[in-house]
Amino acid sequence: MSSLVQMGIHPTYSLLASGEPVKRWLRERTRCKRPRWDIHPIEAAQRVRRIKFRQQGWPMTTVSASRPPFRRVAVMSAVLLAVSAGIAGCAGGGSDGQTVLRVQFEQGETSSAAAQAFAEGFEAANPNVEIKLESVSSEAKTTTNSTVLTSGNPPDVGLLPSNGATFGALAAKGAILDLADVWKAADLDKRYAESVNQANLYNGKHYSLITDSCLYSIVYYNKALFEKAGLTAPADHRITSPDQLYQMAAGLRKIGVQPLAFAGKSGSAQPTWMIDALLPTAATPEQMTNYLQSWQADASVTARYTDDPFNKTLGALADYAKNGVYQEGFLGTDKTATESAFATGSAGMALGGHWTAGTLRDDGAPFDFGWMLLPPVDSTRTAQLTGCYIGTMVIPAGAQNQELAKKYLEHMVSNEAQRDAVVKAAHGLPAVTGLPDSAFDETDPIVKEMLEDIRKNGTQSGWTSTVPGSLGQSFSSPLVLSMYAGETTPDAIGAQVQAQLDKVRGR
């Protein structure tokens, strides 16, 4: 079994058949070459024809990819099982006396592409180092992987979301390293946006590194339908007031199309996406920072969820529903249906993320589209793009190569690695600022506009993408949907969230 795991082979497949590609792959393995991947064989065998960003639940990225016939995939796994006993002695350290650095990455095509590019760049600059990539599922990342990180044989660089349930406990007991050295060496106080640095502080220290980012809670609109309805989209991408949004909704309804396609079915993340967009425009910067950090047990609570900023944010969302901003039947509509409604022209607006632009083009949307931001709660405030900036890369206290692991993290946030791994290999958005325009030659024009907007107006880390799900998305989304259904009020929701905050802080 151990030899199979070291080879990256899932141990549950049985022998079916063989083929020359499999034999060739095995010959390479039996020469004792350490595998780049430790992943499920089906994922290892995937052949990606095109990458397509998809919104799934809270802001994150998945892709569509073609797979080879299942029989061939099963064959690859099964033949390896048959020869595993004969290659058990091949496990061990790096070839030619190299230092092996074990680095975790999250399963998925885009994250795999980025992980491979990060590793190749570091190996090229450090020929005496061999990177061994170890995959972690999205579920394990937030649950059982903490046990791996605190085991007697942890990876050198691990995955642990900074808003996860176990992050605080591991940081408090010194099970993950304070990354102050990395912050200083990589100049992250300047190269990360201020909102990014603040959102990922834990008790005044940085324990996790952010390697990429995303933008969400963005209103896309169909330019042809807006023109037909006699509507003018704001030139600066900012809806100035709720009244202007209501006029857009009414104008679209007059020409027989639905206004904002909104996923209001149970389980949707979009109800709290909108909190993320509006709360920074209702709170002062100091209040917003506290909302993002007060879940940490040692942080002071100076902004309560029963206070005006949170209450007015919920009130604004309730008014959206009352004034017909959302499509008919939105409480029973899921994400797939809203995407379809917008793509087919039956809705004039839709809520999405930066990846939505690429998805629409890949799907051949037969119209031009633009983007806008929801109106601020306080009309004197300027709305900003909402970002997801979750620190995930950590160094376990038991890591064998801690200093080399720090150098690897510094590499991950270098301009070169951010360009090659995040922007080009994974088609994502960098975590740091300051990349040259040439890094985004292949980026969608709409996304380029968003990046330029960030340069001018900054960005804000989303509340639900920063606080634990037990306080934010998973806890609060059902409450917002209940408000839309007329079953509760903003005041009642604020009291419930405040009570939940007390529970989260006391765990």
Side-chain angles (χ1 to χ4, degrees):
M1 179 76 71
S2 61
S3 63
L4 294 178
V5 174
Q6 289 160 349
M7 291 173 58
I9 307 307
H10 195 281
T12 59
Y13 285 85
S14 60
L15 180 63
L16 296 180
S18 63
E20 184 56 31
V22 176
K23 292 177 182 176
R24 183 166 59 251
W25 191 81
L26 286 174
R27 284 197 296 270
E28 295 175 356
R29 286 301 180 109
T30 53
R31 294 189 189 110
C32 297
K33 295 176 72 173
R34 180 176 296 275
R36 169 77 68 193
W37 309 112
D38 281 341
I39 62 174
H40 192 289
I42 290 180
E43 183 177 345
Q46 287 180 338
R47 299 175 298 178
V48 182
R49 291 179 181 165
R50 64 189 180 104
I51 294 176
K52 183 187 298 182
F53 292 96
R54 295 286 188 188
Q55 171 260 325
Q56 181 70 27
W58 70 281
M60 62 186 299
T61 301
T62 60
V63 299
S64 64
S66 62
R67 298 178 183 268
F70 179 77
R71 186 176 68 83
R72 175 64 61 85
V73 175
V75 167
M76 184 176 290
S77 311
V79 173
L80 293 167
L81 279 173
V83 300
S84 61
I87 59 175
C90 289
S95 59
D96 301 325
Q98 292 175 310
T99 299
V100 174
L101 192 72
R102 296 168 53 205
V103 178
Q104 290 187 332
F105 73 99
E106 185 173 354
Q107 289 177 4
E109 296 295 346
T110 54
S111 53
S112 296
Q116 177 80 359
F118 279 132
E120 290 176 350
F122 192 78
E123 287 181 340
N126 300 272
N128 63 325
V129 177
E130 182 177 353
I131 305 300
K132 180 184 177 184
L133 295 173
E134 302 175 353
S135 72
V136 178
S137 70
S138 296
E139 180 181 3
K141 180 183 71 171
T142 57
T143 54
T144 57
N145 195 48
S146 60
T147 302
V148 176
L149 299 180
T150 55
S151 69
N153 187 31
D156 296 298
V157 177
L159 281 175
L160 187 69
S162 59
N163 63 349
T166 60
F167 183 90
L170 267 60
K173 68 181 183 180
I176 53 178
L177 299 188
D178 176 0
L179 300 179
D181 291 349
V182 175
W183 244 253
K184 182 177 181 180
D187 200 20
L188 292 179
D189 280 335
K190 295 180 180 178
R191 295 177 61 240
Y192 278 155
E194 177 63 20
S195 60
V196 177
N197 268 309
Q198 290 296 321
N200 281 276
L201 280 173
Y202 186 83
N203 291 339
K205 297 180 179 181
H206 292 290
Y207 292 92
S208 62
L209 192 81
I210 308 147
T211 58
D212 59 355
S213 64
C214 75
L215 303 171
Y216 65 105
S217 204
I218 301 163
V219 178
Y220 283 82
Y221 67 95
N222 183 318
K223 289 186 176 181
L225 291 178
F226 261 53
E227 183 178 357
K228 183 178 179 180
L231 299 171
T232 301
D236 65 351
H237 306 289
R238 282 159 175 78
I239 303 173
T240 57
S241 68
D243 284 342
Q244 186 181 21
L245 178 61
Y246 303 156
Q247 290 169 7
M248 292 176 179
L252 290 168
R253 288 184 184 278
K254 285 182 180 179
I255 63 170
V257 298
Q258 294 295 316
L260 179 63
F262 174 72
K265 191 173 183 178
S266 178
S268 170
Q270 290 193 2
T272 47
W273 275 22
M274 302 184 91
I275 291 178
D276 295 350
L278 298 189
L279 184 57
T281 69
T284 66
E286 294 76 19
Q287 289 172 322
M288 192 66 216
T289 295
N290 193 249
Y291 279 129
L292 296 178
Q293 297 179 356
S294 62
W295 61 274
Q296 301 168 16
D298 292 342
S300 299
V301 179
T302 58
R304 299 178 62 83
Y305 290 103
T306 51
D307 292 345
D308 277 352
F310 199 74
N311 184 275
K312 289 182 177 180
T313 294
L314 294 173
L317 297 182
D319 288 342
Y320 286 2
K322 293 176 183 176
N323 286 276
V325 169
Y326 308 135
Q327 82 278 18
E328 299 296 331
F330 71 91
L331 286 176
T333 306
D334 62 16
K335 176 183 67 67
T336 301
T338 61
E339 291 175 344
S340 176
F342 184 68
T344 59
S346 61
M349 298 182 288
L351 205 62
H354 78 267
W355 58 88
T356 302
T359 299
L360 288 167
R361 297 194 202 283
D362 281 351
D363 288 346
F367 54 84
D368 196 9
F369 52 87
W371 63 278
M372 306 179 290
L373 300 180
L374 292 167
V377 175
D378 179 346
S379 61
T380 66
R381 304 290 297 279
T382 299
Q384 296 173 304
L385 279 156
T386 302
C388 176
Y389 308 105
I390 299 300
T392 56
M393 309 307 297
V394 300
I395 300 177
Q400 294 183 11
N401 301 290
Q402 292 183 6
E403 292 306 310
L404 189 58
K406 290 179 181 179
K407 291 184 180 300
Y408 192 79
L409 293 187
E410 293 169 23
H411 161 72
M412 295 181 83
V413 292
S414 67
N415 280 359
E416 295 77 15
Q418 289 280 293
R419 176 197 63 204
D420 296 341
V422 177
V423 178
K424 295 191 178 297
H427 300 273
L429 297 182
V432 300
T433 60
L435 266 67
D437 291 342
S438 59
F440 304 99
D441 288 344
E442 301 174 9
T443 300
D444 190 276
I446 289 283
V447 180
K448 287 183 179 180
E449 291 179 0
M450 295 175 186
L451 294 174
E452 182 59 30
D453 191 89
I454 291 174
R455 293 189 186 102
K456 293 180 179 179
N457 300 296
T459 183
Q460 175 63 58
S461 185
W463 176 66
T464 57
S465 65
T466 304
V467 304
S470 57
L471 176 66
Q473 180 181 308
S474 62
F475 181 80
S476 298
S477 277
L479 299 178
V480 175
L481 294 178
S482 293
M483 178 184 72
Y484 285 144
E487 299 168 352
T488 189
T489 65
D491 286 338
I493 292 175
Q496 287 178 274
V497 176
Q498 185 61 40
Q500 184 67 9
L501 172 68
D502 294 338
K503 293 180 181 179
V504 170
R505 287 170 55 86
R507 66 168 178 259

